[in-house]
Amino acid sequence: MNFLLKAATVIDSKSPFHRQTVDILIENGVITDIKKTIKASDHVEEVILDNLHISQGWFDSSVSFGEPGYEERETIDHGLQVAAKSGFTAIALHPNTLPVTDNSTAIGFLKGKSQNSAVSLYPIGALTIQCKGVDMAELYDMQQAGAIAFGDYKKAIQNPNLLKIALLYAQNFNGLVLSFPQENNIAGKGMVNEEEQSTLLGLKGIPALAEELQIARDLFLLEYTGGTLHIPTISTAKSVALIRDAKAKGLQISCSTTVHHLTLTDKELVTFDTNYKVLPPLRTQKDVDALVKGINDGTIDMVTSDHQPIDVEHKKVEFDHSKYGTTGLESAFGTLNTILDIEQTIAMLTNGKSIFKIESESIEIGNKADLSLFNPTGDITFTEEHVISSSKNSAFIGKSTKGAPYGIIANGKMILK
């Protein structure tokens, strides 16, 4: 279809139209004209939205659905609709399915299920067979089938030699290795941040040391092997400092943090609401401040929703027995926009493309239309009605957000809320 965006303000520092309000004509998935005013013709659909802003399409580097195996949490088709209505044109999907995405056939299944979607799905292959941390999976075969990176979701690689071999092997085909930052022997049976709050609530704690020790180990391995390493969802002040120092050394290291680690602390746990049970656990205000500083100085490369739908049977139970995870696609933009300015927000939602080697095109005539549509203004209280996901385990219900996504134009399709 063909679309004409009316009075759209462009937020794209790489575009000559950055910060300008223009009309944009999109024909057969390509931007064919950008002017102050374009007259609509019969063969285009006019798009007129209040305070419309557009940017390059957003990418979320840490998303889980459920299918195959856990369709009650989220199917691929519905999950991609959630992503689109939340403003994301591309997502990286974790291998925590049943069976685990640890071979080329499983990668092909995911690519096939998503091939007609407006949202581009990029599978992350498991680093080890069945995510058990014992034997390395067939990384090259998965890359050939469409995997963009390799990691065991929320499972640390405890054997340092296994990570060393993976970093060495992946260099042969420029593969990106992910390593979840937790030393399990230090974390033990903890489930929340080990601090004053865990003591007051009588909940077993995971010390910040568990994350920091694992990151320090991984950085030593990276310095020895070379290669490219991504550390997802860091959460502590010391983690930021370790990665800042590693970048100063010239190591090929990148990292992300989550929207909830940037905006929530372990003080939320006072209600024992299991929606706040996430991994890594919510930390302290000192850690939140350090994460924001890490974004401002370039240490943290991207922000993710770490979207993890969990069905009600596994979430609305005693805190000890509930599964980790919160949904986050729907609330990501509005929440991030409350603590960063709009250009920073867009940068944090798009920077990951270069690290995961995903094509990115600026908003210019002749380029493919891969666009996120949004309104950056307006105070909104996020409620359960805003949760589009099949699972409703959002940590942001009742929180204040700023602005909201309208949807996307990508792969020749438009999806709006």
Side-chain angles (χ1 to χ4, degrees):
M1 290 186 65
N2 302 322
F3 308 102
L4 177 60
L5 301 180
K6 299 293 291 182
T9 301
V10 176
I11 305 295
D12 180 3
S13 60
K14 295 180 181 179
S15 168
F17 301 96
H18 179 50
R19 285 287 183 181
Q20 295 182 36
T21 301
V22 292
D23 289 358
I24 299 176
L25 180 62
I26 299 165
E27 298 177 290
N28 300 316
V30 176
I31 299 172
T32 56
D33 201 4
I34 302 178
K35 290 178 182 173
K36 197 68 179 175
T37 303
I38 300 174
K39 186 176 180 181
S41 59
D42 293 337
H43 68 286
V44 302
E45 180 180 346
E46 273 192 288
V47 181
I48 302 173
L49 296 166
D50 182 45
N51 195 28
L52 174 60
H53 285 59
I54 66 169
S55 70
Q56 292 186 34
W58 306 339
F59 166 64
D60 195 326
S61 62
S62 181
V63 172
S64 301
F65 288 149
E67 186 179 4
Y70 303 108
E71 287 82 358
E72 70 278 6
R73 298 178 186 175
E74 192 76 272
T75 64
I76 291 171
D77 288 344
H78 189 263
L80 292 173
Q81 285 287 318
V82 174
K85 293 177 181 180
S86 301
F88 292 88
T89 65
I91 59 141
L93 190 67
H94 284 295
N96 54 329
T97 51
L98 187 67
V100 170
T101 308
D102 62 1
N103 58 72
S104 59
T105 301
I107 296 292
F109 168 79
L110 296 174
K111 296 294 288 185
K113 285 284 291 186
S114 62
Q115 64 181 353
N116 295 318
S117 173
V119 178
S120 298
L121 186 156
Y122 296 95
I124 295 174
L127 186 68
T128 66
I129 294 173
Q130 296 182 20
C131 289
K132 290 185 175 180
V134 178
D135 298 305
M136 193 167 69
E138 299 171 346
L139 308 189
Y140 179 72
D141 286 352
M142 286 192 285
Q143 191 202 50
Q144 293 299 295
I148 59 165
F150 310 97
D152 294 350
Y153 182 62
K154 302 296 183 187
K155 293 184 178 181
I157 303 301
Q158 293 301 299
N159 181 350
N161 193 53
L162 180 58
L163 183 60
K164 183 197 77 174
I165 292 169
L167 285 167
L168 289 168
Y169 177 64
Q171 290 178 55
N172 294 303
F173 48 91
N174 296 317
L176 177 63
V177 174
L178 278 58
S179 179
F180 180 66
Q182 179 169 289
E183 167 48 67
N184 289 341
N185 292 313
I186 298 291
K189 295 182 179 180
M191 63 190 78
V192 300
N193 183 46
E194 184 184 83
E195 259 285 351
E196 178 184 0
Q197 196 70 2
S198 63
T199 303
L200 290 172
L201 298 175
L203 295 171
K204 294 177 181 177
I206 300 175
L209 176 65
E211 176 173 309
E212 297 152 4
L213 193 62
Q214 191 81 351
I215 289 176
R217 184 207 72 172
D218 290 352
L219 292 174
F220 271 112
L221 288 169
L222 180 64
E223 189 170 10
Y224 177 79
T225 61
T228 309
L229 179 66
H230 178 73
I231 299 178
T233 62
I234 67 170
S235 66
T236 80
K238 182 66 173 177
S239 296
V240 177
L242 287 167
I243 293 170
R244 183 182 292 118
D245 291 346
K247 287 190 171 187
K249 286 183 178 180
L251 297 183
Q252 295 301 303
I253 178 71
S254 61
C255 69
S256 69
T257 191
T258 76
V259 177
H260 44 272
H261 285 107
L262 282 169
T263 56
L264 304 174
T265 72
D266 58 359
K267 298 291 187 186
E268 304 286 350
L269 298 169
V270 69
T271 61
F272 290 93
D273 186 340
T274 57
N275 286 334
Y276 299 120
K277 186 178 180 181
V278 293
L279 196 67
L282 297 176
R283 304 289 187 181
T284 67
Q285 189 61 49
K286 175 185 173 183
D287 295 304
V288 170
D289 294 341
L291 291 171
V292 173
K293 183 179 179 182
I295 286 174
N296 291 331
D297 68 18
T299 301
I300 295 174
D301 300 280
M302 66 193 83
V303 175
T304 174
S305 71
D306 201 21
H307 181 82
Q308 190 178 8
I310 302 294
D311 55 282
V312 65
E313 288 84 359
H314 291 97
K315 202 59 174 172
K316 287 205 172 183
V317 294
E318 295 89 347
F319 200 93
D320 286 23
H321 299 299
S322 73
K323 290 188 175 295
Y324 294 101
T326 174
T327 58
L329 284 169
E330 304 97 316
S331 51
F333 170 76
T335 306
L336 196 57
N337 197 35
T338 63
I339 59 167
L340 304 177
D341 65 41
I342 189 60
E343 291 194 33
Q344 277 185 307
T345 297
I346 299 306
M348 288 296 102
L349 294 175
T350 55
N351 285 353
K353 288 183 175 181
S354 61
I355 291 166
F356 283 80
K357 300 182 178 63
I358 293 171
E359 181 183 6
S360 179
E361 294 192 67
S362 61
I363 300 173
E364 297 182 52
I365 296 172
N367 283 356
K368 185 172 70 173
D370 186 78
L371 307 174
S372 297
L373 284 59
F374 57 95
N375 181 348
T377 62
D379 295 328
I380 298 168
T381 298
F382 191 81
T383 67
E384 190 168 321
E385 292 180 359
H386 293 104
V387 180
I388 316 168
S389 301
S390 298
S391 298
K392 307 301 179 185
N393 56 303
S394 172
F396 295 98
I397 293 172
K399 304 301 181 186
S400 297
T401 62
K402 179 183 176 184
Y406 283 124
I408 65 170
I409 295 177
N411 292 325
K413 300 178 176 68
M414 179 172 70
I415 296 180
L416 301 178
K417 280 187 182 177

